[in-house]
Amino acid sequence: MVPKNKIAILVFHPLLHKSRVNSLLVNAVKELPGVNPRIMYDLYPDFAIDVKEEQEVLLNHDIIIWQHPLYWYSSPSLLKEWTDLVLEHGFAYGREGRALEGKKVMSVISAGGRRNNYGSVEGVKFSIRQLLAPFEQTVSLCRMDYLPPFVTHGTHLMNREQIEKTAETYASVIQGLLEDSFREEELLQKEYINDIIL
């Protein structure tokens, strides 16, 4: 079956080969028809990003995923560099910059802390959604739609079986996005897109 959407998964992990979670998430979806995984630190180890090629990738996909571990409540530095260079004025935003209008973006995040540790008095002051506000605002400025993130919490405490179960859930989410099978009103009410599968 031909998928309704094409998805580019931009994986920003400087040590993906050592990652227990992110590597399994990529492996769970990389063979799905319509999915184009791009391992960004392999493509740009020197941070010399090919802006035109990256813009072509964005133009040729309906859904863009930024997958990365949560580093100091944000992303690894290559994603910031990519954002600064690829989302150019006149292409992604500004009066004439409407090339990405209507596309969807989703963050796929792994975090060491448990879910209830975020947005709590005794733990991290802000929720994951609050910490992702700069990404959501960037997407909004580019006239795209920001989907609820897929978040894997407590990565340091997860055993292999739990990680594989998370990867199965992730594959179900990606399959649903490929087939456009989620109702948008229900989707946008979720804190995490994971919650629509549970």
Side-chain angles (χ1 to χ4, degrees):
M1 189 170 108
V2 178
K4 291 182 179 177
N5 290 313
K6 292 194 294 184
I7 301 177
I9 302 179
L10 311 184
V11 182
F12 294 90
H13 195 311
L15 297 171
L16 186 62
H17 62 288
K18 291 185 175 179
S19 166
R20 296 187 319 128
V21 173
N22 281 279
S23 59
L24 272 187
L25 295 183
V26 173
N27 288 338
V29 300
K30 68 181 182 184
E31 302 296 337
L32 294 175
V35 170
N36 177 17
R38 294 173 58 79
I39 311 304
M40 304 304 281
Y41 274 90
D42 288 352
L43 292 171
Y44 305 113
D46 55 1
F47 281 52
I49 293 170
D50 185 332
V51 172
K52 292 304 176 195
E53 180 174 327
E54 291 304 312
Q55 290 177 344
E56 280 299 315
V57 169
L58 297 182
L59 292 173
N60 290 328
H61 293 83
D62 306 294
I63 300 173
I64 314 302
I65 291 178
W66 294 327
Q67 179 181 338
H68 61 89
L70 195 66
Y71 277 10
W72 285 108
Y73 312 112
S74 186
S75 68
S77 54
L78 184 57
L79 176 51
K80 181 63 169 66
E81 180 77 356
W82 182 94
T83 304
D84 290 345
L85 297 178
V86 175
L87 301 181
E88 288 181 312
H89 183 269
F91 171 76
Y93 70 98
R95 183 174 297 179
E96 306 298 325
R98 309 182 80 94
L100 305 178
E101 187 169 0
K103 295 182 183 291
K104 293 179 172 36
V105 177
M106 182 173 81
S107 294
V108 174
I109 306 295
S110 59
R114 294 181 172 146
R115 185 168 182 168
N116 62 5
N117 196 45
Y118 288 85
S120 68
V121 175
E122 296 177 353
V124 180
K125 181 177 178 182
F126 300 101
S127 71
I128 289 288
R129 292 301 299 264
Q130 288 171 322
L131 293 171
L132 292 176
F135 298 95
E136 185 169 359
Q137 179 56 45
T138 299
V139 168
S140 178
L141 182 67
C142 298
R143 300 182 177 89
M144 298 187 285
D145 300 316
Y146 193 68
L147 299 172
F150 184 94
V151 185
T152 305
H153 279 288
T155 56
H156 303 310
L157 304 172
M158 297 175 78
N159 60 34
R160 177 80 182 188
E161 184 179 347
Q162 291 169 318
I163 297 172
E164 288 177 350
K165 178 66 177 169
T166 299
E168 288 176 17
T169 302
Y170 180 55
S172 297
V173 166
I174 295 301
Q175 193 66 55
L177 293 173
L178 285 167
E179 297 168 2
D180 204 17
S181 61
F182 300 128
R183 288 193 311 113
E184 187 167 338
E185 314 82 62
E186 183 182 4
L187 194 64
L188 296 179
Q189 290 176 0
K190 302 295 183 185
E191 180 181 16
Y192 297 167
I193 201 169
N194 317 40
D195 298 338
I196 207 163
I197 301 295
L198 299 176

